[in-house]
Amino acid sequence: MRSTASILVACLICAAAQAEQPNLAATSLGEQSTSQWRIGVVVTAQGGAVSGIVATMPVPMDWPEQEVKIVGEERSPGTRLAYRTLDQGVKQLVVSIPRLAAGEEASAVVTFAVTKHEIIEPAETAGLSIPPRPTRDVAKYLRPSPYIESTDSQIKSRAATIATGKTSGWESTAALFDWVRENVQYEFDPDIKPAITAFKAGRGDCEELTSLVIALCRASKIPARAVWVPGHCYPEFYLQDASGAGHWYPCQAAGDLRQFGGMVEERPILQKGDNFKVPGERAPQRYVAQRLSATNAAADPAVKWILERVEE
């Protein structure tokens, strides 16, 4: 008969062995690269004195595949810097300039070192499923967003047709993703168009392709959201594994290379999400853009936004 001590030791060994087993349904991180980015603003009182100037802009924040450090800061005397996070998806740099005399200029620029990791797709996908009861933080990515009409009857009907016969959440999402890449031709457009416009026209750029993938996913009860990097965006979708744990997986809606469940993207992530409540804006915002306001101005000040990679 085994002693209590030997049973305890056996249980501890078993628990340790289980803890060492990797979750094959989760993504893993691969090679990394680090780059530096200067982000900020230059304001000039070109038409007269200006006071109460506040400029806001998105800056990189930490994500599982991204680490961010501030390595430099340049600002004019009297200029104040602060940071705030909106809806856990975007970090803003808030620049406050008390007053500028006519013709005077003030600036604030922060340099960030951003380490990005390659995301490696999961080794096991058969057990991944659509979460039946997502948490509140995840469920918000099932609702429509600006330009993402996931409740449109045409999008819902097409999503149901595409996913028919698929046996797992992974297969269903892959079918929706591949349908967009096969049926919507990439075509650059300086104006953002709704997902339903790209659906009907059969063309769009990374904005519209991303929106349509997200809309089809949400119409199929698959949480999905937009990820924004300088000059580009792509979707992420959310599934749960056999244990009930949820995971976010990236995919590249635009581009020649099919990236689904994994991602090679060196540019820094500026925000994740596509439906933000932004201070100073009445309507929900798809993307938190740069914004400048002033409480008292003889004329609108000139503004130059800075978002540039530091050349090595």
Side-chain angles (χ1 to χ4, degrees):
M1 186 173 180
R2 298 176 67 184
S3 67
T4 301
S6 64
I7 293 174
L8 178 60
V9 170
C11 289
L12 291 173
I13 293 174
C14 181
Q18 291 178 352
E20 292 175 358
Q21 293 296 319
N23 189 335
L24 298 180
T27 58
S28 57
L29 300 180
E31 295 183 4
Q32 68 181 47
S33 61
T34 300
S35 59
Q36 292 191 7
W37 291 76
R38 298 179 71 247
I39 302 176
V41 65
V42 180
V43 183
T44 305
Q46 61 179 359
V50 185
S51 60
I53 302 166
V54 177
T56 60
M57 65 222 73
V59 297
M61 61 185 283
D62 286 345
W63 293 101
E65 69 271 38
Q66 173 172 285
E67 296 98 39
V68 180
K69 293 182 180 179
I70 295 175
V71 295
E73 186 180 283
E74 314 155 44
R75 55 176 166 164
S76 301
T79 300
R80 298 188 298 273
L81 305 183
Y83 296 90
R84 66 187 181 196
T85 301
L86 305 180
D87 200 25
Q88 301 178 344
V90 57
K91 186 175 184 178
Q92 283 185 306
L93 169 61
V94 182
V95 178
S96 301
I97 304 170
R99 187 179 187 280
L100 290 178
E104 191 176 6
E105 178 182 280
S107 63
V109 181
V110 179
T111 302
F112 298 88
V114 182
T115 300
K116 285 290 296 294
H117 298 262
E118 172 190 1
I119 301 175
I120 301 172
E121 65 185 81
E124 179 57 57
T125 61
L128 290 169
S129 61
I130 300 171
R133 293 178 296 277
T135 64
R136 184 177 179 180
D137 287 341
V138 174
K140 66 184 179 183
Y141 297 114
L142 289 171
R143 298 190 290 268
S145 294
Y147 298 97
I148 301 177
E149 308 92 339
S150 53
T151 56
D152 181 272
S153 59
Q154 296 178 73
I155 287 178
K156 291 175 68 176
S157 176
R158 183 52 58 95
T161 301
I162 295 169
T164 297
K166 302 301 181 289
T167 59
S168 71
W170 187 268
E171 286 187 1
S172 296
T173 312
L176 300 170
F177 169 79
D178 287 330
W179 186 92
V180 172
R181 287 177 58 85
E182 292 167 4
N183 291 275
V184 183
Q185 181 181 358
Y186 180 88
E187 182 180 289
F188 175 75
D189 192 324
D191 298 320
I192 301 175
K193 300 290 195 303
I196 189 62
T197 300
F199 176 81
K200 293 178 179 179
R203 60 181 181 272
D205 60 18
C206 65
E207 292 264 12
E208 289 76 40
L209 290 164
T210 293
S211 292
L212 187 51
V213 169
I214 293 171
L216 290 168
C217 283
R218 292 178 181 176
S220 304
K221 307 301 182 185
I222 303 167
R225 65 187 179 188
V227 182
W228 307 85
V229 300
H232 185 56
C233 66
Y234 57 87
E236 276 188 335
F237 59 94
Y238 184 93
L239 299 173
Q240 70 176 31
D241 60 30
S243 71
H247 310 276
W248 284 103
Y249 304 96
C251 55
Q252 193 68 270
D256 296 332
L257 179 64
R258 183 185 188 274
Q259 296 191 77
F260 183 79
M263 179 70 64
V264 178
E265 174 57 77
E266 293 186 352
R267 286 171 288 187
I269 296 168
L270 295 177
Q271 42 196 300
K272 290 192 179 190
D274 41 71
N275 196 346
F276 294 98
K277 294 181 180 179
V278 180
E281 299 284 355
R282 291 185 177 181
Q285 300 294 302
R286 167 185 172 83
Y287 175 81
V288 182
Q290 303 103 327
R291 186 177 186 273
L292 184 135
S293 63
T295 57
N296 188 16
D300 290 339
V303 57
K304 176 185 177 183
W305 300 104
I306 298 172
L307 173 58
E308 60 187 16
R309 182 169 180 166
V310 178
E311 298 298 330
E312 298 180 357

